Amino acid sequence: MLSECNNVFESIEGSLSKRMVAIKKYQALLAMIQNDKRASEVVIDVLRHLGICYLNIGNYAAAGANFASAWSLCSTSTQKDLKKDIAYQIAQCKEEDGDLEGALDWYKLVCDSFGMFSTCLEGVRRIERKMGKNSGIFPRQPKINTRKEESLVNEFQDMLPTNEKRSIAETMKRCDHCSRGGIKLLLCKGCANDQEAPSTNYCSKECQKSHWKNVHKYTCACSKARLITGQKVKVHSLDKSPQYNGKDGKIVTYMKEKGRFKVEIENKFLALKPQNLKKIV
Ligand SMILES: [Zn+2]
Ligand SMILES: [Zn+2]
């Protein structure tokens, strides 16, 4: 039943109405199983998916409520990473929803219960800045040599440069769509073995879908719409620089930080969104 729901969920291409369908299906499934003690792991999973659905449509109050329900069902046998993720999502929902006190409590809870991971520390700092206060214990500086930090470093060791001591926050992999970090990330299978494609990480299938639609479709090694260096393109639909509309250009490179392509047009370089470029075949 859950896998059936997930199939529905995975067929979503990002439209609001399809997300609403997914939410309805998850809610129906939840109504059937929520009182079944034996199914609590599945209930947690469904609630978490509901939370992610609501996050994706920007309803942070509903997202937070579902994550909070999932949290209340977690027990000592629940996977630690899952608990950490749920608690972190609650903190983010509260922050997005303007409940700074609540968000601060949850960010601290994650730090205290699951180790000081840096996106959470950033959350604590960010909120304290907004509230103009400093609780004293936070922020604690991450120390590389304590036991707790050692396990964190092990977790992230493939991201840490060998001879430099950069902070984990700087080197941590984050979701390419929502920038969440410190949780297990999914890789795009389409470009996992491609040297030239930028590496892509996602916190969830939902983020992968949104990112695909707006960005990754144009950079993924397995995509027909991919724009590679040297590709000729025609510019269209620019609002701020309409003088370039209809002009031909050449792809120079993809600028991951900006989510735009560097395009050469009449010896000038412009940073353009892929939506404004049409491949010339
Ligand atoms: Zn994400
Ligand atoms: Zn890809």
Side-chain angles (χ1 to χ4, degrees):
M1 189 64 182
L2 178 66
S3 68
E4 194 188 305
C5 272
N6 282 337
N7 287 342
V8 174
F9 200 51
E10 278 170 22
S11 70
I12 296 170
E13 284 303 328
S15 83
L16 186 63
S17 62
K18 282 183 181 168
R19 278 167 204 277
M20 293 312 291
V21 169
I23 288 175
K24 287 219 173 75
K25 296 229 172 195
Y26 279 125
Q27 281 170 339
L29 176 62
L30 193 61
M32 282 169 58
I33 59 171
Q34 65 184 349
N35 294 320
D36 188 344
K37 287 264 186 297
R38 293 163 302 169
S40 67
E41 292 296 312
V42 185
V43 175
I44 291 171
D45 208 27
V46 173
L47 286 165
R48 192 171 147 266
H49 274 89
L50 265 172
I52 295 170
C53 285
Y54 278 118
L55 259 190
N56 274 277
I57 61 170
N59 187 341
Y60 301 109
N66 281 287
F67 288 128
S69 302
W71 176 260
S72 71
L73 292 170
C74 288
S75 64
T76 45
S77 63
T78 312
Q79 240 194 346
K80 201 179 154 198
D81 276 352
L82 183 64
K83 281 201 264 191
K84 181 163 99 173
D85 182 43
I86 292 169
Y88 183 58
Q89 302 271 25
I90 294 172
Q92 293 210 316
C93 288
K94 291 203 179 274
E95 183 179 0
E96 294 286 353
D97 212 27
D99 177 4
L100 296 183
E101 293 272 0
L104 189 60
D105 287 345
W106 279 93
Y107 281 128
K108 286 182 179 178
L109 179 142
V110 178
C111 287
D112 285 338
S113 315
F114 305 103
M116 310 291 287
F117 82 104
S118 40
T119 28
C120 245
L121 275 180
E122 282 164 23
V124 171
R125 289 195 193 105
R126 188 170 58 243
I127 291 186
E128 290 196 334
R129 251 197 322 273
K130 282 186 200 168
M131 294 170 80
K133 74 176 203 179
N134 188 339
S135 60
I137 17 167
F138 291 90
R140 287 180 247 167
Q141 286 302 314
K143 286 190 209 111
I144 300 293
N145 291 326
T146 66
R147 275 194 90 110
K148 209 184 230 174
E149 296 309 323
E150 239 168 57
S151 65
L152 258 185
V153 170
N154 286 338
E155 201 175 318
F156 298 121
Q157 67 180 354
D158 57 332
M159 310 160 205
L160 290 171
T162 41
N163 291 322
E164 272 173 80
K165 278 184 187 165
R166 280 160 68 196
S167 80
I168 291 169
E170 282 176 276
T171 51
M172 183 164 56
K173 285 182 185 168
R174 293 171 185 276
C175 173
D176 279 317
H177 185 63
C178 71
S179 300
R180 234 167 277 165
I183 51 171
K184 203 166 182 210
L185 295 167
L186 309 162
L187 282 170
C188 172
K189 291 200 183 96
C191 40
N193 297 317
D194 190 280
Q195 297 292 317
E196 279 174 42
S199 82
T200 41
N201 303 281
Y202 303 104
C203 71
S204 61
K205 289 255 176 215
E206 295 67 56
C207 275
Q208 180 171 19
K209 290 213 160 83
S210 305
H211 193 251
W212 176 266
K213 201 175 155 206
N214 296 319
V215 182
H216 195 51
K217 183 165 85 179
Y218 305 99
T219 58
C220 183
C222 74
S223 172
K224 276 186 197 147
R226 186 185 190 188
L227 299 170
I228 54 167
T229 303
Q231 171 68 49
K232 285 190 181 147
V233 289
K234 196 176 274 298
V235 178
H236 65 91
S237 314
L238 291 178
D239 290 333
K240 287 181 187 152
S241 313
Q243 68 271 29
Y244 292 107
N245 287 333
K247 298 242 158 107
D248 291 352
K250 216 174 10 174
I251 299 287
V252 180
T253 184
Y254 174 63
M255 300 180 290
K256 192 175 178 182
E257 332 70 62
K258 291 189 177 158
R260 288 170 182 245
F261 284 89
K262 186 174 177 181
V263 183
E264 186 184 349
I265 302 169
E266 294 169 346
N267 300 319
K268 285 199 196 98
F269 294 104
L270 303 181
L272 300 175
K273 290 182 190 163
Q275 289 83 351
N276 296 109
L277 304 171
K278 192 175 184 300
K279 249 179 164 174
I280 300 174
V281 193

